Each structure stands twice: as structure tokens, then as C-alpha cells.
């Protein structure tokens, strides 16, 4: 009997071992929209074994799922979501596997719910807003800054009316890093008048992260982050594409963009895309704004391969533009500068032309990206290499043969390597760890006849981050992370001795002089900066209708080359800029709280965000006077450091009155204070309120009509930086006040858009739309336009757009 018992338990143990060995597998992956590539949350995944045993899982906030404790064998997967067509798949499981799935949206089943653009796919506890592909197509003839200004809390800083860059919660330029297909855009972005060199038509979505919580991207985003993301390549056996074209009356401009992509079942896919834009001088309501034409030609291609656990792709994009700078902004002497600022019309008004003359800027930007990933038992490993080459030429008004030569000619070359690992969920914890390296070289080309504004420099930057996510339960998610950045800048720059002494450098930095050339010093500043960033946040779900997000983020931004080395005329901005070698890191402490949800059976959707940002050693650019040079008279702006606080509120909401009629509103308010000098910060966006009412009727060939009202209030909180200048009037020297502080008056604009769709075939569609901007041809000036002193804004404009999808 004893022997029989031992045999029985031995067999039982062997059966247990075999069962344990076979039932330790897991299946994980991601569920996305087949057309947009965006993640789908709350997808139900049923997995049914051949014996009929069933498990049910739901995808998380980034569309991910994991099913543990599976045995070897055959399974049936049923993937379903109320807004998508369900999918049934048979699989055979022999090893730990990663399988991604794509679903097709069911247009008949989807409820007409208005989505405010929220998306939590990059972070769990930071406010994110997204422009969809449809919204990007509606704005395809514009630029990135203008497109993003439709989001509450995002405004634009302009130089004239063709150069615009986004402002998030009062901050811009290097405080708002832009990532183009996961590569940080490096295109001399430090300049006030340097618009992002990106064609928005490459994007399938554009995401704004309001804060520095996305540490996997960077640790110096004191304002926020912009992610420009192309559509993921499809591995379905398919061919699709589209073409959009438009005509714009103001500037007599035209735009065209086209895209085609092909996928195969064997995992290979490719995409080709291109854009061309051309416009002449723009017009204010009462005159032509001379030399404001624009030309742009862009191209991108992507090739990829995806097979089970691993995949790779190569992406290349080219951006080329030529942009005129308002002729009236470049004046000849102090008296002309005074008259230009005080006058209601530009001093130079020529007839309309398509030509682009000096002053102007020519830009080309090349980006090459290699991306590879591998999924294994512990998670996903991703490697990205990026190469960028940017050439920037700025042309000034000069005489003779010099007029055809660039006054500024910079080559910026950047190499980046990013390696990160995202773990599978273990006991409700999920981690993401990564490191990166950047090498950058700025090379001022010779032959300009002018000392370069930005000198030769080499920059090396090393970074490391670690983020942890903890799903406490189905209603609460916690997030925390840290990041460390170290960078070194090694520069060579010539300083005029007079400027060197005037800035006080002769006493502070005499040890950095390596050569005396007579009128100039050759200086070799070697600067090192260490930055620490951290984030801590929570997202609380209050049932199915409401979310609360709380987040604290610490970020540290090193001064950029413009702030450190500027010393002379910035031609595109029509200003003289002075940097400061002794600048320290900015340190930002930002707190945000958001309330997001819907009411009245999803008829009302809302997003309410409060924020407070205290910045130690805030680098501020302020006007300090005017200076006369051989090329004219220009205001002088200098970089200084202070302590600052910026706070405000963003409100976005929409309400559906009827199935075909909806109302949308967004409101932004912020205040910026210079805490050290007890005054307001300069160049803070004024209060803005945008309201729109839209009618849609699918039965009338998708007819729509939309009326939009944009109200911009007068900025009442600003510092007084006015100064006096001496000018000659009637042979006598007199002192006059140069008013560069007073903001322009409030204004209100009305825009109208309407259109419809035609089904050319069961799979091909033609969209036709017509729009009017500034319907009332309102005359106004914008406080956030650096050339507001010299001209009004653009007047009425008519637009016709045609889009063909196939």
C-alpha cells in the first residue's frame, strides 16, 4: 500500500510539473485604430481555449493588454468595442507572444459624441490635447503654430504674418520642444522668429502635452511638448492615398499636398508624401504688406517592416521654405524707426508682387530616422537613431552684390540616439526606462561679410530617465518619474572689444580670451549644465463620465545658444539681440489640475485646467533701447534672468443642441509676473475666447456650415519698457518717447466655413469646402506679433479647398 501511495503522488507531482510548465505563457500587445493608428482604450478581449474555458481582459489607457497564465494550445480571440467592428481570430500559442490588433471604426454604431481632443497615450497623469487627422486636413494650408492655436492654452508668437510658433501656457521656443516622429526637432528653434521647420501634412495626429510630465521625451519642457506623429504603416494588403489643394485670395496663393501608401500582408509597407505652397504679398484691409510672400516645398517617405515580435522602419523628410520679412520693418535711422512705430501705416507700401526680396529667410531641414523594436517576455525594447541637418540663411537689405548674399548662414547638424525599455505590467506596476545621447555642431558659413549672430559650437548631451506607473485599481492611476540631463557646450566666438567691455566681460571672463586680433577678441567659452527633472501625478476616474488629473512637474532648462551668445542684428526679427554668458539653468515648478468629463447623456463635454508655474532664474528678453548701425536703426533686446510666476486657466467645452447642431467654446486666461522686479512679464498672451457653432447633416452629402468668433482682449498686464531717443527735427535735436510697450486694442474676428462630400465610388470620396476669414475685414494688431509696430494684421481672405481620398 505504501508503495502504491508513493507512485500515486509521484504521478500527481509529474502531472503538476507538466501543467505548470505549459501554463506559464502570456499573450500581450496593443489594439489600435486601423486608419489613424491611435490606441483604443477599453477594448474587450475574450480568449477562449479549445476546451471552452474563457478569460476576459480590457485594454488600458494606452490600448495595451496582457493575459497571463496561459497554456500551450489553440485559442479563439474575440476583440470588441462599441465603436468598432468586432474581430474574431484563431491563434496557436506555443511560446510567450506579442500580438497587436487593428480595428475598423463602425460609423453606424458610433454615437455622435463630441470629443474635446483628450488623449492619455503618452502620459497617464498629464493634460494632453490632440488634433486629429481630420482637423489637420482642414488646416493643411497653414503652419504648425496656427494649427495648434485652436487648442485652449495654446497661442502663437508671430513675426509678421507668415512666421508663427506655438506658445503653451505663456512659454515658447526652446521651452516648448517639438518632436517630429519621435525625434526632437533641432532647427535653430531658439529664435523668436524661427517657425518650426515642419510640414504639418506629414502628421496623422498632433498632440500637445501641457507640462513637463512626459520625461521620456525631455526634461526641459517648462512650457509643454508638441508631438507631431505620422500614421503608423499598415501591414494590411492595401493601397490608399489622398490629395488636397486650395486657393487663398489674400496673397493669391495656392497649396497642394498628396500622399500614397501601400501595405502587404508579409509585413512590408511604404508611404510617400509631398507638399507645395506659394503665395505673394499679403494685404491688410487698407494696403499691401510689402515683401510678405512665402514659398515652401516639402517631401517625406517612410518604409517599414513588421513581423510578430519585432519591427523596423526608416523615415526621411525634407522641408524647404523661403519667406519674406516685411520691408517696412527695416528702417534707415532712429527718426525713421520712431516714425514707423508711431505711424498707423507702414513707411513702405509697394504694389502686389509674387517676388520675395531681401529682407528674407531661406530654410532647409533634413531629418532621417531609423527605428527598431523588439518585444520579449519582460516588455518592449526600442532603439531610435536620428540625423538632422538644418541650413538657415537670412538676407538683409544691402547694396550691390552683397544684397544677394546671406547676412547669416548657419549649418546645424544633430545626431541623436535613444534607447528605451517599457516593461510589461507586474503586480500593477509598469516601468519605462531610457537613455539618450545628442551631439550637435553649429557651423557659421563664411562669406557673409558680417560676424555671425550665433557662433561655432559643439554640444554634447547625455540623458537618463525612469518612469513608474501604478494602477491602484480600475479608477486610480499613479505616475512618478525622474530624469537627469548633462550637457556641455564648447564654443568659439569673436567679440568686438567695445561690446565685450560694454557687457562687462572684461572683468568676468578675461580668462576665456584665446586671441587678440586688434578690434576683436576670439573667445572660447566652455559651459556645462546639469539638469534634474521629476514628475508626480494621479488620475482618478469618477465613474464613466468624469476624470480628475493632478500633476506636479519639476523641470530644468539650460540656456540656449541664442540666449548665451547673441551679439548683433537678428535680421529676420529686425532687432539687435544681446546674450549673456553667465546665464544659469531655469528651474520650473509647475502644478496642474484638470477636470474632464461629460454631462446630459454625453451632450455636454468639458475640460477645465488650472495651472501654476513658478520659474527660478527665468530667462527674459526685454527691450533696453535703440541702436544705429550701418544697416539701419533697430530696437535692442537683451537677455536677463529673474524669478517669475505664470498661472491661469484653460476651458474647453462643447454642447450638442440637436443631432446636427453643436456649439463649441474654448477660453484661455493667464498672468505672468516678474517676481524679482515686481512687474508683469513681457509678451504674455492676452485673454482669448473662441466660440463656434456648427451644423452637420450626413444625409445632405455630409454638408456642414460653421461660424467661428475669435475674441482677443486687450493685454492690461505688461511692463513699461518705453525709452526716449534723440532725433533731429527742423534742424534741432529733440527727445522723443519710443513707445514699444503699449499693447494694441482688443479685437474680434469672424470666420465662416461650409462644404460637402461626393462619393465618386464606393471607396473614393471628394470633399469640397469654401471659407472666409476675417469676414468683416477688421483692422487690428496683435500683441503677440513682434512686427505689430509696423503694420496691421491680414485682412479678409477667401479660401476654396478640394480633397480627394482613394
Amino acid at each position: 500500500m505504501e508503495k502504491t501511495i508513493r507512485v500515486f503522488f509521484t504521478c500527481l507531482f509529474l502531472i503538476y510539473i507538466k501543467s505548470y510548465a505549459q501554463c506559464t505563457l502570456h499573450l500581450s500587445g496593443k489594439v489600435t485604430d486601423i486608419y489613424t493608428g491611435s490606441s483604443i482604450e477599453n477594448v474587450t478581449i475574450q480568449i477562449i481555449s479549445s476546451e471552452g474555458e474563457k478569460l476576459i481582459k480590457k485594454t488600458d489607457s494606452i490600448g495595451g493588454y496582457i493575459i497571463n497564465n496561459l497554456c500551450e494550445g489553440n485559442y479563439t480571440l474575440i476583440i470588441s468595442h462599441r465603436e468598432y467592428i468586432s474581430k474574431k481570430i484563431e491563434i496557436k500559442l506555443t511560446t510567450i507572444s506579442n500580438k497587436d490588433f487593428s480595428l475598423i471604426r463602425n460609423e453606424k454604431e458610433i454615437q455622435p459624441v463630441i470629443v474635446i481632443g483628450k488623449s492619455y497615450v503618452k502620459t497617464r497623469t498629464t493634460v494632453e490635447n490632440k488634433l486629429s487627422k481630420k482637423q489637420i486636413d482642414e488646416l493643411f494650408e497653414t503652419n504648425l503654430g496656427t494649427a495648434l492655436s485652436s487648442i485652449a492654452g495654446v497661442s502663437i508668437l508671430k513675426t509678421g504674418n507668415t512666421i508663427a510658433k506655438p506658445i503653451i501656457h505663456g512659454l515658447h521656443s526652446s521651452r516648448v520642444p517639438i518632436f517630429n516622429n519621435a525625434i526632437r526637432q533641432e532647427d535653430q528653434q531658439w529664435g523668436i522668429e524661427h517657425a518650426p521647420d515642419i510640414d504639418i501634412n506629414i502628421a496623422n495626429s498632433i498632440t500637445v502635452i501641457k507640462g513637463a510630465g512626459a520625461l521620456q521625451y525631455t526634461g526641459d519642457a517648462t512650457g509643454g511638448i508638441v508631438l507631431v506623429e505620422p500614421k503608423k504603416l499598415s501591414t494590411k494588403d492595401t493601397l490608399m492615398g489622398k490629395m488636397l489643394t486650395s486657393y487663398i485670395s489674400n496673397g493669391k496663393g495656392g497649396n497642394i499636398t498628396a500622399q500614397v501608401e501601400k501595405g502587404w500582408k508579409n509585413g512590408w509597407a511604404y508611404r510617400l508624401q509631398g507638399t507645395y505652397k506659394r503665395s505673394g504679398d499679403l494685404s491688410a484691409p487698407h494696403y499691401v504688406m510689402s515683401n510678405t510672400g512665402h514659398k515652401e516645398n516639402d517631401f517625406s517617405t517612410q518604409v517599414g517592416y513588421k513581423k510578430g515580435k519585432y519591427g523596423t522602419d526608416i523615415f526621411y523628410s525634407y522641408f524647404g521654405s523661403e519667406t519674406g520679412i516685411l520691408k517696412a520693418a527695416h528702417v534707415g535711422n532712429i527718426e525713421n524707426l520712431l516714425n514707423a512705430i508711431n505711424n498707423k501705416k507702414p513707411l513702405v507700401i509697394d504694389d502686389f508682387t509674387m517676388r520675395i526680396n531681401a529682407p528674407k529667410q531661406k530654410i532647409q531641414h533634413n531629418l532621417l530616422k531609423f527605428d527598431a523594436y523588439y518585444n520579449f517576455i519582460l516588455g518592449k525594447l526600442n532603439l531610435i537613431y536620428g540625423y538632422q541637418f538644418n541650413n538657415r540663411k537670412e538676407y538683409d537689405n544691402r547694396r550691390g552684390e552683397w544684397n544677394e548674399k546671406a547676412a547669416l548662414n548657419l549649418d546645424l547638424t544633430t545626431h541623436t540616439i535613444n534607447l528605451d525599455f517599457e516593461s510589461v505590467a507586474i503586480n500593477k506596476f509598469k516601468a519605462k526606462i531610457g537613455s539618450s545621447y545628442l551631439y550637435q555642431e553649429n557651423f557659421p558659413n563664411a562669406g557673409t561679410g558680417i560676424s555671425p549672430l550665433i557662433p561655432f559650437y559643439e554640444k554634447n548631451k547625455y540623458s537618463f530617465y525612469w518612469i513608474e506607473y501604478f494602477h491602484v485599481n480600475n479608477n486610480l492611476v499613479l505616475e512618478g518619474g525622474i530624469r537627469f540631463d548633462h550637457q556641455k557646450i564648447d564654443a568659439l566666438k569673436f567679440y568686438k572689444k567695445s561690446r565685450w567691455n560694454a557687457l562687462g566681460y572684461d572683468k568676468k571672463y578675461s580668462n576665456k580670451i584665446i586671441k587678440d586680433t586688434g578690434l576683436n577678441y576670439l573667445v572660447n567659452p566652455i559651459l556645462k549644465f546639469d539638469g534634474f527633472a521629476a514628475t508626480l501625478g494621479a488620475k482618478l476616474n469618477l465613474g464613466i463620465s468624469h476624470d480628475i488629473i493632478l500633476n506636479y512637474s519639476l523641470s530644468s532648462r539650460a540656456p540656449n545658444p541664442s540666449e548665451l551668445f547673441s551679439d548683433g542684428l537678428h535680421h529676420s526679427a529686425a532687432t539687435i539681440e544681446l546674450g549673456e554668458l553667465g546665464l544659469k539653468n531655469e528651474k520650473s515648478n509647475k502644478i496642474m489640475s484638470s477636470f474632464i468629463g461629460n454631462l446630459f447623456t454625453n451632450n455636454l463635454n468639458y475640460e477645465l485646467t488650472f495651472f501654476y508655474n513658478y520659474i527660478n532664474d527665468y530667462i527674459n528678453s526685454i527691450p533696453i533701447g535703440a541702436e544705429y548701425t550701418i544697416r539701419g536703426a533697430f530696437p535692442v533686446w537683451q537677455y536677463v534672468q529673474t524669478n517669475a510666476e505664470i498661472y491661469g486657466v484653460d476651458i474647453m467645452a462643447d454642447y450638442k443642441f440637436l443631432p446636427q447642431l453643436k456649439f463649441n467654446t474654448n477660453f484661455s486666461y493667464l498672468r505672468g509676473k516678474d517676481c524679482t522686479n515686481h512687474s508683469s512679464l513681457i509678451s504674455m498672451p492676452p485673454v482669448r475666447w473662441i466660440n463656434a457653432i456648427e451644423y452637420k447633416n450626413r444625409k445632405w452629402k455630409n454638408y456642414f456650415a460653421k461660424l467661428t468668433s475669435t475674441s482677443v482682449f486687450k493685454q492690461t498686464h505688461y511692463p513699461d519698457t518705453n525709452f526716449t531717443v534723440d532725433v533731429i527735427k527742423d534742424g534741432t535735436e529733440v527727445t522723443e518717447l519710443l513707445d514699444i510697450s503699449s499693447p494694441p486694442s482688443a479685437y474680434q474676428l469672424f470666420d465662416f466655413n461650409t462644404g460637402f462630400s461626393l462619393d465618386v465610388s464606393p471607396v473614393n470620396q471628394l470633399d469640397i469646402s469654401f471659407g472666409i476669414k476675417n469676414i468683416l475685414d477688421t483692422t487690428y494688431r496683435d500683441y503677440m506679433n513682434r512686427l505689430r509696430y509696423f503694420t496691421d494684421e491680414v485682412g479678409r481672405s477667401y479660401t476654396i479647398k478640394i480633397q480627394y481620398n482613394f
Side-chain angles (χ1 to χ4, degrees), residues 7 112 123 125 199 387 498 517 579 720 772:
V7 171
T123 65
T125 63
D199 174 18
Y387 166 81
S498 57
T517 63
D720 183 356
I772 310 175

Side-chain angles (χ1 to χ4, degrees), residues 20 49 92 122 205 230 315 333 336 355 375 415 432 541 549 592 791:
Y20 179 81
S49 70
K92 184 176 182 179
K122 312 304 174 187
S205 66
F315 173 84
N333 55 52
N336 286 343
R355 292 192 303 272
N375 288 290
H415 300 267
K432 192 166 186 179
N541 179 260
I549 296 176
M592 287 194 299
T791 182

Side-chain angles (χ1 to χ4, degrees), residues 626-640:
E627 187 172 306
Y628 183 75
T629 74
I630 61 173
R631 296 185 299 282
F634 302 94
V636 179
W637 291 68
Q638 186 170 30
Y639 291 101
V640 297

Side-chain angles (χ1 to χ4, degrees), residues 440-664:
Q440 185 175 87
E441 178 184 279
N442 185 68
F443 185 82
N445 291 292
T448 63
I450 298 174
S451 179
L453 180 71
I454 304 298
F456 170 85
Y457 70 82
E458 289 182 328
K459 179 164 73 171
N460 288 271
K461 184 176 181 180
Y462 306 87
S463 304
F464 170 81
Y465 74 87
W466 184 0
I467 305 171
E468 284 282 350
Y469 312 104
F470 178 44
H471 290 258
V472 179
N473 51 48
N474 291 333
N475 297 321
L476 178 61
V477 178
L478 302 179
E479 176 183 15
I482 57 173
R483 183 182 176 104
F484 176 77
D485 297 283
H486 170 79
Q487 71 173 350
K488 174 184 175 183
I489 298 177
D490 189 342
L492 286 172
K493 178 174 175 61
F494 284 98
Y495 280 92
K496 290 183 179 179
K497 289 184 177 180
S498 57
R499 180 79 77 190
W500 181 263
N501 295 332
L503 293 172
Y505 289 174
D506 54 328
K507 298 178 181 178
K508 294 187 290 184
Y509 307 117
S510 59
N511 61 327
K512 299 184 184 297
I513 299 174
I514 60 175
K515 188 176 182 180
D516 186 338
T517 63
L519 295 176
N520 302 291
Y521 290 127
L522 177 60
V523 182
N524 179 211
I526 299 177
L527 308 172
K528 297 180 181 180
F529 302 95
D530 290 327
F532 178 78
T535 185
L536 182 63
K539 176 188 173 184
L540 177 63
N541 179 260
L542 303 178
I544 61 172
S545 301
H546 306 281
D547 292 332
I548 297 177
I549 296 176
L550 300 173
N551 181 268
Y552 163 77
S553 58
L554 166 69
S555 59
S556 178
R557 184 184 74 90
N560 63 45
S562 177
E563 296 162 339
L564 291 167
F565 304 123
S566 288
D567 174 30
L569 177 62
H570 204 163
H571 309 276
S572 297
T575 60
I576 292 172
E577 297 181 4
L578 301 179
E580 168 57 59
L581 287 177
L583 295 177
K584 300 179 291 185
N585 278 14
E586 285 184 344
K587 294 170 285 293
S588 165
N589 292 269
K590 188 172 187 178
I591 300 173
M592 287 194 299
S593 62
S594 294
F595 305 88
I596 303 170
N598 57 76
L599 298 168
F600 310 125
T601 320
N602 289 335
N603 286 329
L604 173 65
N605 294 268
Y606 69 90
E607 177 181 305
L608 178 64
T609 299
F610 299 92
F611 64 92
Y612 176 84
N613 193 358
Y614 188 87
I615 308 175
N616 290 99
D617 298 318
Y618 175 78
I619 301 174
N620 200 13
S621 177
I622 60 173
I624 60 171
E627 187 172 306
Y628 183 75
T629 74
I630 61 173
R631 296 185 299 282
F634 302 94
V636 179
W637 291 68
Q638 186 170 30
Y639 291 101
V640 297
Q641 286 195 290
T642 185
N643 293 331
E645 62 178 6
I646 303 173
Y647 57 88
V649 60
D650 303 331
I651 301 173
M652 300 177 70
D654 51 53
Y655 183 72
K656 184 179 62 176
F657 295 98
L658 299 169
Q660 296 85 17
L661 188 66
K662 68 176 181 180
F663 172 77
N664 174 274

Side-chain angles (χ1 to χ4, degrees), residues 152-171:
V154 182
S155 50
I156 52 177
L157 180 67
K158 299 192 293 184
T159 299
N161 293 280
T162 51
I163 301 173
K165 64 195 317 177
I167 305 174
I168 300 178
H169 288 169
L171 301 172

